[in-house]
Every structure is written in C-alpha cells, then in structure tokens.
Amino acid sequence: MTSSTQISNFDLYYWPGLQGRGEFIRLALEAAGVAYRDVARLPEAEGGGAKAVVGMMRSPGSWMVPLAPPILKTGDLVLAQVANILFFLGPKLDLCSEREDQRWYTNQLQLTITDLVAEIHDTHHPISTSMYYEQQREEAIKKAQAFVAQRMPKFLNYFENIIQKSTAGYLIGEHLSYVDTSMFQVLEGLSYAFPTAFAEYSGSIPGLLALRDRIRKHPGIANYLSSDRRLPFNEHGIFRRYPELNVPLHPNKDAS
Amino acid sequence: MTSSTQISNFDLYYWPGLQGRGEFIRLALEAAGVAYRDVARLPEAEGGGAKAVVGMMRSPGSWMVPLAPPILKTGDLVLAQVANILFFLGPKLDLCSEREDQRWYTNQLQLTITDLVAEIHDTHHPISTSMYYEQQREEAIKKAQAFVAQRMPKFLNYFENIIQKSTAGYLIGEHLSYVDTSMFQVLEGLSYAFPTAFAEYSGSIPGLLALRDRIRKHPGIANYLSSDRRLPFNEHGIFRRYPELNVPLHPNKDAS
C-alpha cells in the first residue's frame, strides 16, 4: 500500500517506469499488506523520480553505501541486494518460517532465484549492459536459445521437485514465504518474455503453475495486481518480449 | 586444515580439481583455522571424488536439497549458495561483526561480490555454460573487453571507496570478515585472468591492494596458500587465463 501521506517504516528506492529487481521487494511488502513508500514513483516535487534513486546511491545518509538499487531504507538501515533485503524483511513481514533450518533454506532458494534472474537478464544483454540491445541482438538470440533449452528447464525442474514434495503447496514449510512471491514473479516474467517456450514447458511444472495461480489470488497480491502500483512488464526491465528472442524450447525439432 | 581423520563439524562438497566457488568457503574456514573436510578431494575409496558432490546433490540425506555446489554439511544442515553458507559461518568463525547493521552490510557486500563473480565467469561463457569455450570465443572476446573496460572498474571502484573510508583497513568494521577473504580471492583471480587490464587499473585501487597483501600474510591464509590444499588457478574455474581474453583496459587507446 503506497502512500506518501502515511507514516512508513519502509522507503523503497528503485528506478521508476519498470518492475525490475525492485518488484521482488514490492511483492513481499504488498503480500504482507504493510505501508511503504515507493519513493521514485512520487513526483519530483515530492522528492521522487530517478533523482531520488541517484541521490540514495550518492548520499544515502548512512555509512551503508549501496552499489545499485533496489534500496530499502528502514530506520537507520540502508539495505541493498534483493536477497539481503528479503532476508531482513522475512521475519518482520511474517514471510518466512520461524525454524532456523527453513530460514537458511529460504535464503538459499532466493539466491538461486537471483542466479536465474541474472541469466534471464543476460538473454537480452549477453555482451554488455552498457550497449544497446540492438548492438548485441545476434548474441542475444544464441543466448536465449541456450537459456530456454537448458537453463530454464534446469532451474524450473529444481523448484518443481521441491514443491511436489510440499504438503502445503508452498516452496518452504507450511506458510507463504517471500520465495513464493519471488517465484510467482519469475513465472509471470518467463511467460511474458518467452511465451512459446514457456507454454511448451508448462506441462512439466504443474506444481509451480498451481503456486503461481494461488499467489495471484492472495488478497494482498490480488489487490496489488489490480492497482496502478503494479507496472506492466515492458522492454526496460529484466523480462523483455522481443519477437526474435521468443524461441521454441527445442530449436532443432523441425529442422530435419 | 583438511583432515580425514579429525572429527569435523564442517564437510565441504565441491568439484575437485578447481578452486571455483568453493574457494570462497575454503578461505573463510582456513582464515578461522577450523578443521573441515574437503570431501571431494579425498580418494574415491574414502568417499571422495566428484561422485561425492553428485551424491550430495541427488541424495543429500536431508530435505534441504541443493541445486549446485558448493555445499556445506554441518550437523543437520545442508547449506548451498556461497553467500548463504558464509552468512551462516560468519558468527561461528568470528568472521563478521557483532553489530546487526554491519552483518546486513557484510551480506550485502558478499552478494555484490557474487554478482561480480558471475560476470567474471561469463567473460569466458557469455552464451551458454553447456557449450565449450571455443564455441563462444568470439563473443567471449567482446564480453571480456566490456568487462575490463566498464564492469571491473565499476565494482572495484565501489569497494575501493569503502576501504578508503575504513580506519582499520578492513571492508567492514574493525576486524577481518569473510568479505575481506572473498575480495582477496577476486583480486587474485582478476590478476590471473586479466593480467594486462588489472595491472593497468592497479593504480586506482591502492586500498584494495593493501587489503590483498594483508590477507596474503594472515596466518591462516598464509598457511593455506603455501599448502597443497590451495589449488592453483586453472582453466576449469571462474578465473581463466586465455591469451585472447587478456585485453587492455582501454581497447581503443592505440587505435587512432
């Protein structure tokens, strides 16, 4: 629940205009139904805009200087790195287990999602983040083919096996955790960026698709998704829909 | 201190024959001087070899199934992901601060190192981890050029600014942390993989080089580095020395 007038303990700083890595933090906060400020989406006159993010990176008002957003300011803490922010928020938002072993595993799975997200980003920027997509399109097509054929199945199969063993239908323990909301985002994003391959692979991940549908209907998330706080996927974020990268799961299937 | 006869609370599972991501765990354990078993480096007859790693991934004897090594088995816990393992080990090895804000920052910096390490790996595998280096050499040369020109300076400058503000000469707080041993590994690795560009950039990172030299002389680390437990860098790991990837910092300097 974003509001500039409410008192908030959580100020999120992320580039306006895209979901990006900030979305993993937003989804956790929205699932928990807590008030937060999405600072860069406020008008510049109220301290918002991309300027706010740059300002936090240059002068965070803390010794805890971050390298990149998302950045969460809460009390005296200035936290960066998605998995770090979520590990911190988990107990405060009731989005992780109380069991120590399950908390370590929650962090471990979130870091595995971090790896997957980096690979997804690199499908459209395999050579350099400083170059335009158009300058690395040929390499991107190769990378996207390798990703959907090998890496996407490897990661999703791993998570599918985990949820198949779950009795509660969540990735860890008996309750919703931030790994569930993060996996929801990954599944929605893969479906957006690689609609053909994702549809082809869907039959292999019934447990994950059931999780996705369940998260969509979670009261906090459903409320968020129907609001204007949820930005649509677009070609500035991690998950981008470029026609030439929408490659099939088995590129050589029809090549004989 | 690796020993198969000592009783150990820490069993590390990582591919034998390369430093890889396992090295970040080894360096922390060695700095602390605690006993551990580097299981895959034991003879196969004693349960070692790559088989041991595969076995831990397939049947870890725990509900905490990992996706990939390094894996640390300690008590009932089976932990994976470098930053997760180090966050767990930090307080136990006295390799992190007792201050909560500093612990979050330690995790944050380790995750920033994780990002850097992934980018370094991708300089030799920009298209696919399933293809040989030789199949993606042309793309690797482009990626390596972008890495040393833009990304390496961006990351190292960030860490240099942090250590320049340090009064104790460590990245966080007054004492050695696992972020220091991880940064040592990154600096040694970059110097191995990109000797030309790293030498060119060295003048910009005096604080980090002083840290590297200090860690080299740390009793636990010095003991380790002079032992046969420390594998040499080679072309199976993250940091690889390929002549064609040893590109200068400024590729166009002499092109006029």
Side-chain angles (χ1 to χ4, degrees), chain A residues 165, chain B residues 12-16 39-40 44 47-69 71 73 78:
Chain A
K165 287 183 196 151
Chain B
L12 174 67
Y13 291 80
Y14 194 73
W15 304 120
V39 180
E44 281 204 14
K51 272 187 183 174
V53 182
V54 175
M56 275 304 285
M57 288 160 68
R58 291 198 183 147
S59 307
S62 162
W63 66 274
M64 303 176 79
V65 179
L67 177 62
I71 300 161
K73 191 161 164 38
V78 175

Side-chain angles (χ1 to χ4, degrees), chain A residues 65 84 105 107 139 142 158, chain B residues 65 105 107 139 142 158:
Chain A
V65 179
N84 188 50
Y105 201 61
N107 188 43
E139 295 90 347
K142 287 189 195 179
Y158 171 70
Chain B
V65 179
Y105 202 62
N107 187 43
E139 294 90 347
K142 286 189 196 179
Y158 172 69

